[in-house]
Amino acid sequence: MKLGMTVGYWQKHPEDLTDTVQAAESLGYDSVFTAEAYGSDALTPLAWFGARTSKIKLGTAVTQMSARTPTATAMHALTLDGLSGGRLILGVGVSGPQVVEGWYGQPFGKPLARTREYIDIMRQVWARENPVTGTGPHHPIPYPGGTGLGKPLKSIVHPRRADIPVYLGAEGPKNVALAAEIADGWIPFFLDPTLVDQIYGPSLAGRPANFDIAAPVTTVVTDDLDSALTIAKLPLALYMGGMGARERNFHLDLIGRLGYADAAQKVQELFLAGRKEEAVRAVPDELADATSLLGPIERIKERIQLWRDSPITTILIGGVRDEPTLRALRDVILG
Protein backbone atom coordinates (compact mmCIF):
# COMPACT_ATOMS: atom_id res chain seq x y z
CA MET A 1 0.00 0.00 0.00
CA LYS A 2 1.23 3.48 -0.92
CA LEU A 3 0.73 6.51 1.28
CA GLY A 4 -0.13 9.98 0.01
CA MET A 5 -2.00 13.01 1.23
CA THR A 6 -4.75 15.25 -0.05
CA VAL A 7 -4.96 18.97 0.66
CA GLY A 8 -8.29 19.47 -1.10
CA TYR A 9 -9.33 22.91 -2.30
CA TRP A 10 -9.20 26.29 -0.57
CA GLN A 11 -12.11 27.02 1.71
CA LYS A 12 -12.90 30.71 2.26
CA HIS A 13 -9.29 31.97 2.05
CA PRO A 14 -6.06 31.22 0.15
CA GLU A 15 -3.90 28.66 1.94
CA ASP A 16 -0.26 27.91 1.16
CA LEU A 17 0.53 24.39 2.38
CA THR A 18 4.06 24.22 1.01
CA ASP A 19 5.52 23.41 4.44
CA THR A 20 3.12 20.50 4.84
CA VAL A 21 3.87 19.13 1.38
CA GLN A 22 7.61 19.45 1.91
CA ALA A 23 7.28 17.63 5.24
CA ALA A 24 5.33 14.84 3.56
CA GLU A 25 8.00 14.51 0.88
CA SER A 26 10.79 14.34 3.44
CA LEU A 27 8.87 11.57 5.25
CA GLY A 28 8.56 9.49 2.11
CA TYR A 29 4.91 10.15 1.21
CA ASP A 30 4.32 9.05 -2.35
CA SER A 31 1.97 11.79 -3.51
CA VAL A 32 0.04 14.95 -2.78
CA PHE A 33 -3.39 15.57 -4.33
CA THR A 34 -5.32 18.81 -4.78
CA ALA A 35 -8.98 19.39 -5.69
CA GLU A 36 -11.36 22.01 -7.04
CA ALA A 37 -15.01 22.85 -6.54
CA TYR A 38 -16.07 26.40 -7.48
CA GLY A 39 -13.29 28.53 -6.02
CA SER A 40 -9.60 27.63 -6.19
CA ASP A 41 -8.42 25.42 -9.04
CA ALA A 42 -6.55 22.13 -8.71
CA LEU A 43 -3.63 22.75 -11.06
CA THR A 44 -2.10 26.03 -9.87
CA PRO A 45 -1.30 24.74 -6.35
CA LEU A 46 0.40 21.70 -7.86
CA ALA A 47 2.66 23.94 -9.93
CA TRP A 48 3.45 25.88 -6.74
CA PHE A 49 4.23 22.72 -4.78
CA GLY A 50 6.11 21.16 -7.68
CA ALA A 51 8.50 24.08 -7.85
CA ARG A 52 9.35 23.57 -4.18
CA THR A 53 9.70 19.78 -4.14
CA SER A 54 11.61 17.23 -6.19
CA LYS A 55 10.21 13.73 -5.65
CA ILE A 56 6.64 13.67 -4.41
CA LYS A 57 4.05 12.92 -7.11
CA LEU A 58 1.57 15.67 -7.93
CA GLY A 59 -2.05 14.59 -8.33
CA THR A 60 -5.46 16.12 -8.91
CA ALA A 61 -8.45 14.62 -7.11
CA VAL A 62 -10.03 15.89 -9.22
CA THR A 63 -10.05 18.43 -12.02
CA GLN A 64 -13.58 18.98 -13.31
CA MET A 65 -13.92 18.10 -16.96
CA SER A 66 -16.50 20.79 -17.71
CA ALA A 67 -14.05 23.45 -16.52
CA ARG A 68 -11.77 22.93 -19.51
CA THR A 69 -11.89 21.40 -22.94
CA PRO A 70 -10.02 18.10 -23.17
CA THR A 71 -7.23 19.70 -25.19
CA ALA A 72 -6.87 22.49 -22.60
CA THR A 73 -6.58 19.95 -19.79
CA ALA A 74 -4.08 17.97 -21.85
CA MET A 75 -2.01 21.16 -22.29
CA HIS A 76 -2.09 21.87 -18.55
CA ALA A 77 -1.06 18.29 -17.89
CA LEU A 78 1.84 18.07 -20.30
CA THR A 79 3.13 21.45 -19.11
CA LEU A 80 3.02 20.55 -15.42
CA ASP A 81 4.36 17.07 -16.06
CA GLY A 82 7.26 18.50 -18.03
CA LEU A 83 8.19 21.13 -15.46
CA SER A 84 7.96 18.69 -12.55
CA GLY A 85 10.10 15.98 -14.10
CA GLY A 86 7.27 13.60 -14.90
CA ARG A 87 5.46 13.63 -11.54
CA LEU A 88 1.85 14.36 -12.53
CA ILE A 89 -1.12 12.09 -11.84
CA LEU A 90 -4.12 13.61 -13.60
CA GLY A 91 -7.38 12.83 -11.83
CA VAL A 92 -10.49 13.97 -13.70
CA GLY A 93 -14.20 13.77 -12.94
CA VAL A 94 -17.55 14.91 -14.28
CA SER A 95 -18.69 16.65 -11.06
CA GLY A 96 -22.50 17.03 -10.93
CA PRO A 97 -25.22 18.95 -12.75
CA GLN A 98 -25.48 21.65 -10.08
CA VAL A 99 -21.86 22.70 -10.64
CA VAL A 100 -21.54 21.83 -14.33
CA GLU A 101 -24.63 23.76 -15.39
CA GLY A 102 -24.77 26.31 -12.56
CA TRP A 103 -21.08 27.26 -12.44
CA TYR A 104 -19.54 26.35 -15.80
CA GLY A 105 -22.61 26.91 -17.93
CA GLN A 106 -22.17 23.58 -19.67
CA PRO A 107 -24.66 20.77 -20.30
CA PHE A 108 -24.31 17.79 -17.99
CA GLY A 109 -25.88 14.95 -20.00
CA LYS A 110 -24.25 11.63 -20.87
CA PRO A 111 -21.40 11.68 -18.32
CA LEU A 112 -20.02 8.25 -19.27
CA ALA A 113 -19.82 9.05 -22.99
CA ARG A 114 -18.33 12.48 -22.29
CA THR A 115 -15.68 10.96 -20.05
CA ARG A 116 -14.68 8.39 -22.67
CA GLU A 117 -14.30 11.07 -25.34
CA TYR A 118 -12.44 13.39 -22.99
CA ILE A 119 -9.79 10.87 -21.97
CA ASP A 120 -9.34 9.66 -25.54
CA ILE A 121 -8.64 13.19 -26.79
CA MET A 122 -6.13 13.90 -24.01
CA ARG A 123 -4.22 10.75 -24.82
CA GLN A 124 -4.18 11.69 -28.49
CA VAL A 125 -2.58 15.01 -27.54
CA TRP A 126 0.18 13.35 -25.51
CA ALA A 127 0.84 10.58 -28.04
CA ARG A 128 1.40 13.02 -30.94
CA GLU A 129 0.91 10.20 -33.41
CA ASN A 130 -1.62 12.06 -35.54
CA PRO A 131 -3.45 15.40 -35.51
CA VAL A 132 -6.09 15.33 -32.77
CA THR A 133 -9.66 14.60 -33.76
CA GLY A 134 -12.81 14.05 -31.78
CA THR A 135 -15.53 12.14 -33.58
CA GLY A 136 -18.02 11.98 -30.71
CA PRO A 137 -20.94 14.35 -30.16
CA HIS A 138 -19.66 15.86 -26.89
CA HIS A 139 -16.17 17.03 -27.86
CA PRO A 140 -16.09 17.26 -31.66
CA ILE A 141 -12.71 18.30 -33.07
CA PRO A 142 -12.56 20.20 -35.38
CA TYR A 143 -15.64 22.13 -34.36
CA PRO A 144 -18.46 21.43 -36.83
CA GLY A 145 -19.88 24.51 -38.48
CA GLY A 146 -18.49 27.87 -37.47
CA THR A 147 -16.15 29.38 -40.05
CA GLY A 148 -15.31 26.00 -41.52
CA LEU A 149 -11.61 26.87 -41.22
CA GLY A 150 -10.76 24.64 -38.26
CA LYS A 151 -8.43 21.74 -38.92
CA PRO A 152 -6.98 18.95 -36.77
CA LEU A 153 -3.73 19.94 -35.09
CA LYS A 154 -0.87 18.18 -33.35
CA SER A 155 0.75 19.54 -30.19
CA ILE A 156 3.84 21.58 -31.04
CA VAL A 157 5.37 20.35 -27.76
CA HIS A 158 6.71 16.83 -27.35
CA PRO A 159 5.41 15.82 -23.91
CA ARG A 160 7.86 14.44 -21.41
CA ARG A 161 5.58 11.41 -21.14
CA ALA A 162 3.05 10.17 -23.65
CA ASP A 163 1.48 8.02 -20.96
CA ILE A 164 0.67 10.57 -18.23
CA PRO A 165 -1.43 8.52 -15.77
CA VAL A 166 -5.11 9.37 -15.77
CA TYR A 167 -7.27 8.54 -12.75
CA LEU A 168 -11.04 8.84 -12.75
CA GLY A 169 -12.97 10.25 -9.81
CA ALA A 170 -16.11 8.12 -9.74
CA GLU A 171 -18.88 7.07 -7.37
CA GLY A 172 -21.48 5.16 -9.38
CA PRO A 173 -20.86 1.51 -10.35
CA LYS A 174 -20.99 2.24 -14.10
CA ASN A 175 -18.52 5.11 -13.78
CA VAL A 176 -16.20 2.94 -11.67
CA ALA A 177 -16.39 0.24 -14.33
CA LEU A 178 -15.41 2.85 -16.92
CA ALA A 179 -12.41 3.81 -14.78
CA ALA A 180 -11.32 0.16 -14.63
CA GLU A 181 -11.66 -0.04 -18.41
CA ILE A 182 -9.96 3.13 -19.67
CA ALA A 183 -8.10 4.79 -16.78
CA ASP A 184 -4.94 4.05 -14.81
CA GLY A 185 -6.60 4.46 -11.45
CA TRP A 186 -9.78 5.22 -9.54
CA ILE A 187 -10.29 7.95 -6.94
CA PRO A 188 -13.26 6.95 -4.77
CA PHE A 189 -15.11 9.14 -2.30
CA PHE A 190 -16.35 8.33 1.22
CA LEU A 191 -15.25 4.72 0.89
CA ASP A 192 -15.86 2.06 3.51
CA PRO A 193 -13.00 -0.40 2.90
CA THR A 194 -15.06 -3.35 4.11
CA LEU A 195 -17.69 -2.76 1.41
CA VAL A 196 -15.50 -2.23 -1.67
CA ASP A 197 -15.92 -5.76 -2.99
CA GLN A 198 -19.62 -5.87 -2.14
CA ILE A 199 -20.48 -2.58 -3.87
CA TYR A 200 -17.87 -2.31 -6.60
CA GLY A 201 -16.61 -5.86 -7.10
CA PRO A 202 -18.27 -6.36 -10.52
CA SER A 203 -17.24 -2.87 -11.62
CA LEU A 204 -13.59 -3.51 -10.76
CA ALA A 205 -13.42 -7.09 -12.02
CA GLY A 206 -11.76 -6.16 -15.31
CA ARG A 207 -9.16 -3.75 -13.95
CA PRO A 208 -5.54 -4.33 -14.97
CA ALA A 209 -3.01 -5.61 -12.46
CA ASN A 210 -1.35 -2.23 -11.94
CA PHE A 211 -4.62 -0.31 -11.50
CA ASP A 212 -4.36 2.10 -8.55
CA ILE A 213 -7.27 2.71 -6.18
CA ALA A 214 -6.29 5.92 -4.41
CA ALA A 215 -8.74 6.60 -1.58
CA PRO A 216 -8.93 10.01 0.16
CA VAL A 217 -9.54 9.41 3.87
CA THR A 218 -10.47 12.05 6.44
CA THR A 219 -7.92 11.56 9.21
CA VAL A 220 -8.07 13.00 12.73
CA VAL A 221 -5.49 11.93 15.31
CA THR A 222 -6.70 12.76 18.82
CA ASP A 223 -7.52 11.12 22.12
CA ASP A 224 -11.01 12.65 21.90
CA LEU A 225 -12.90 10.26 19.61
CA ASP A 226 -16.16 12.21 19.90
CA SER A 227 -14.42 15.34 18.64
CA ALA A 228 -12.85 13.36 15.80
CA LEU A 229 -16.24 11.98 14.79
CA THR A 230 -17.70 15.49 14.64
CA ILE A 231 -14.88 16.65 12.39
CA ALA A 232 -15.36 13.65 10.10
CA LYS A 233 -19.09 14.35 9.88
CA LEU A 234 -18.59 17.88 8.54
CA PRO A 235 -17.63 16.92 4.96
CA LEU A 236 -20.17 14.10 4.93
CA ALA A 237 -22.98 16.51 5.80
CA LEU A 238 -21.71 19.08 3.31
CA TYR A 239 -21.62 16.66 0.39
CA MET A 240 -24.89 14.93 1.23
CA GLY A 241 -26.63 18.24 1.75
CA GLY A 242 -24.91 20.97 -0.21
CA MET A 243 -22.78 19.48 -2.99
CA GLY A 244 -25.61 18.45 -5.27
CA ALA A 245 -29.18 19.33 -6.11
CA ARG A 246 -32.04 17.99 -4.05
CA GLU A 247 -33.27 16.06 -7.07
CA ARG A 248 -29.87 14.66 -8.10
CA ASN A 249 -27.00 14.25 -5.69
CA PHE A 250 -24.46 11.53 -6.50
CA HIS A 251 -22.92 11.76 -3.03
CA LEU A 252 -26.30 11.14 -1.44
CA ASP A 253 -26.73 8.09 -3.66
CA LEU A 254 -23.31 6.81 -2.62
CA ILE A 255 -24.16 7.03 1.07
CA GLY A 256 -27.32 5.09 0.31
CA ARG A 257 -25.27 2.30 -1.27
CA LEU A 258 -23.20 2.20 1.91
CA GLY A 259 -26.40 1.33 3.79
CA TYR A 260 -27.45 4.72 5.16
CA ALA A 261 -30.13 5.87 2.71
CA ASP A 262 -32.65 7.01 5.33
CA ALA A 263 -30.04 8.86 7.36
CA ALA A 264 -28.70 10.50 4.20
CA GLN A 265 -32.15 11.83 3.31
CA LYS A 266 -32.50 13.28 6.80
CA VAL A 267 -29.10 14.97 6.58
CA GLN A 268 -30.00 16.47 3.21
CA GLU A 269 -33.33 17.79 4.49
CA LEU A 270 -31.73 19.46 7.51
CA PHE A 271 -28.87 20.91 5.49
CA LEU A 272 -31.09 22.38 2.78
CA ALA A 273 -33.37 23.82 5.46
CA GLY A 274 -30.40 25.79 6.78
CA ARG A 275 -30.10 23.64 9.93
CA LYS A 276 -26.51 22.71 9.24
CA GLU A 277 -25.43 21.93 12.80
CA GLU A 278 -28.33 19.51 13.11
CA ALA A 279 -27.37 18.00 9.75
CA VAL A 280 -23.88 17.30 11.03
CA ARG A 281 -25.24 15.69 14.18
CA ALA A 282 -27.58 13.54 12.07
CA VAL A 283 -24.66 11.86 10.27
CA PRO A 284 -24.39 8.39 11.85
CA ASP A 285 -21.30 7.80 13.96
CA GLU A 286 -20.84 4.43 12.27
CA LEU A 287 -20.70 6.04 8.81
CA ALA A 288 -18.18 8.70 9.85
CA ASP A 289 -15.99 6.10 11.53
CA ALA A 290 -16.14 3.57 8.69
CA THR A 291 -15.05 6.07 6.03
CA SER A 292 -12.34 7.80 8.09
CA LEU A 293 -9.31 7.16 10.29
CA LEU A 294 -10.10 8.62 13.70
CA GLY A 295 -8.91 8.67 17.28
CA PRO A 296 -5.66 7.86 19.06
CA ILE A 297 -2.78 6.67 16.90
CA GLU A 298 -3.03 3.18 18.38
CA ARG A 299 -6.69 2.94 17.31
CA ILE A 300 -5.73 4.04 13.80
CA LYS A 301 -2.98 1.43 13.80
CA GLU A 302 -5.60 -1.26 14.49
CA ARG A 303 -8.18 0.03 12.02
CA ILE A 304 -5.73 0.47 9.15
CA GLN A 305 -5.81 -3.30 8.70
CA LEU A 306 -9.31 -2.92 7.25
CA TRP A 307 -7.82 -0.84 4.46
CA ARG A 308 -4.93 -3.23 3.92
CA ASP A 309 -7.41 -6.10 3.55
CA SER A 310 -9.38 -4.23 0.87
CA PRO A 311 -8.56 -3.69 -2.84
CA ILE A 312 -7.38 -0.14 -2.01
CA THR A 313 -3.76 0.41 -3.07
CA THR A 314 -3.14 4.02 -1.99
CA ILE A 315 -4.38 5.87 1.09
CA LEU A 316 -4.56 9.66 0.77
CA ILE A 317 -4.54 11.18 4.24
CA GLY A 318 -6.84 14.21 4.41
CA GLY A 319 -6.89 16.98 6.99
CA VAL A 320 -3.44 16.54 8.56
CA ARG A 321 -1.10 19.51 8.42
CA ASP A 322 1.73 19.04 10.99
CA GLU A 323 4.92 17.03 10.55
CA PRO A 324 4.72 15.02 13.81
CA THR A 325 1.28 13.65 12.93
CA LEU A 326 2.32 12.94 9.35
CA ARG A 327 5.29 11.02 10.74
CA ALA A 328 3.18 9.02 13.19
CA LEU A 329 0.71 8.09 10.47
CA ARG A 330 3.49 7.04 8.14
CA ASP A 331 4.90 4.75 10.81
CA VAL A 332 1.59 2.99 11.56
CA ILE A 333 0.31 2.82 7.98
CA LEU A 334 3.51 1.73 6.27
CA GLY A 335 4.87 -0.14 9.27
Side-chain angles (χ1 to χ4, degrees), residues 254-271:
L254 168 61
I255 301 304
R257 286 193 292 274
L258 292 177
Y260 299 92
D262 291 342
Q265 289 291 338
K266 182 63 175 178
V267 170
Q268 185 189 58
E269 291 172 9
L270 290 168
F271 195 97

Side-chain angles (χ1 to χ4, degrees), residues 32-289:
V32 57
F33 280 74
T34 56
E36 60 187 18
Y38 37 94
S40 61
D41 77 282
L43 293 161
T44 306
L46 285 187
W48 186 261
F49 300 147
R52 290 157 174 81
T53 55
S54 60
K55 297 177 294 183
I56 196 167
K57 293 172 187 169
L58 309 167
T60 57
V62 296
T63 56
Q64 298 164 321
M65 290 191 295
S66 294
R68 306 163 188 86
T69 65
T71 47
T73 300
M75 290 169 62
H76 280 296
L78 72 85
T79 304
L80 184 51
D81 196 59
L83 290 172
S84 67
R87 289 190 277 153
L88 180 66
I89 300 171
L90 182 65
V92 298
V94 295
S95 188
Q98 189 178 54
V99 172
V100 170
E101 297 178 358
W103 181 251
Y104 294 118
Q106 300 292 321
F108 180 76
K110 305 292 184 182
L112 295 176
R114 285 192 294 117
T115 300
R116 189 181 292 276
E117 289 181 29
Y118 201 98
I119 291 177
D120 174 69
I121 290 170
M122 291 196 301
R123 287 183 166 149
Q124 287 186 58
V125 171
W126 302 329
R128 291 194 78 256
E129 293 174 352
N130 298 293
V132 176
T133 58
T135 58
H138 304 287
H139 301 290
I141 299 176
Y143 179 75
T147 65
L149 301 176
K151 67 174 185 178
L153 301 170
K154 186 187 295 187
S155 170
I156 61 176
V157 174
H158 292 252
R160 183 183 185 96
R161 294 186 294 171
D163 57 349
I164 294 172
V166 177
Y167 289 18
L168 186 58
E171 296 177 43
K174 290 182 179 179
N175 213 4
V176 174
L178 182 65
E181 177 191 350
I182 68 172
D184 301 290
W186 168 41
I187 303 170
F189 204 42
F190 297 136
L191 195 63
D192 180 341
T194 67
L195 297 179
V196 178
D197 286 326
Q198 176 182 324
I199 297 175
Y200 296 112
S203 300
L204 294 169
R207 69 189 187 278
N210 61 345
F211 187 79
D212 189 18
I213 301 177
V217 184
T218 298
T219 306
V220 185
V221 180
T222 176
D223 291 333
D224 185 347
L225 182 57
D226 289 338
S227 174
L229 284 167
T230 298
I231 293 171
K233 290 178 181 184
L234 290 169
L236 283 159
L238 171 63
Y239 277 85
M240 280 188 273
M243 288 296 194
R246 184 189 300 273
E247 299 80 7
R248 193 170 186 184
N249 184 324
F250 299 131
H251 314 301
L252 191 78
D253 296 340
L254 168 61
I255 301 304
R257 286 193 292 274
L258 292 177
Y260 299 92
D262 291 342
Q265 289 291 338
K266 182 63 175 178
V267 170
Q268 185 189 58
E269 291 172 9
L270 290 168
F271 195 97
L272 294 179
R275 297 157 63 183
K276 296 182 180 179
E277 292 184 3
E278 293 179 60
V280 171
R281 290 195 296 271
V283 176
D285 288 356
E286 297 81 4
L287 170 63
D289 199 24

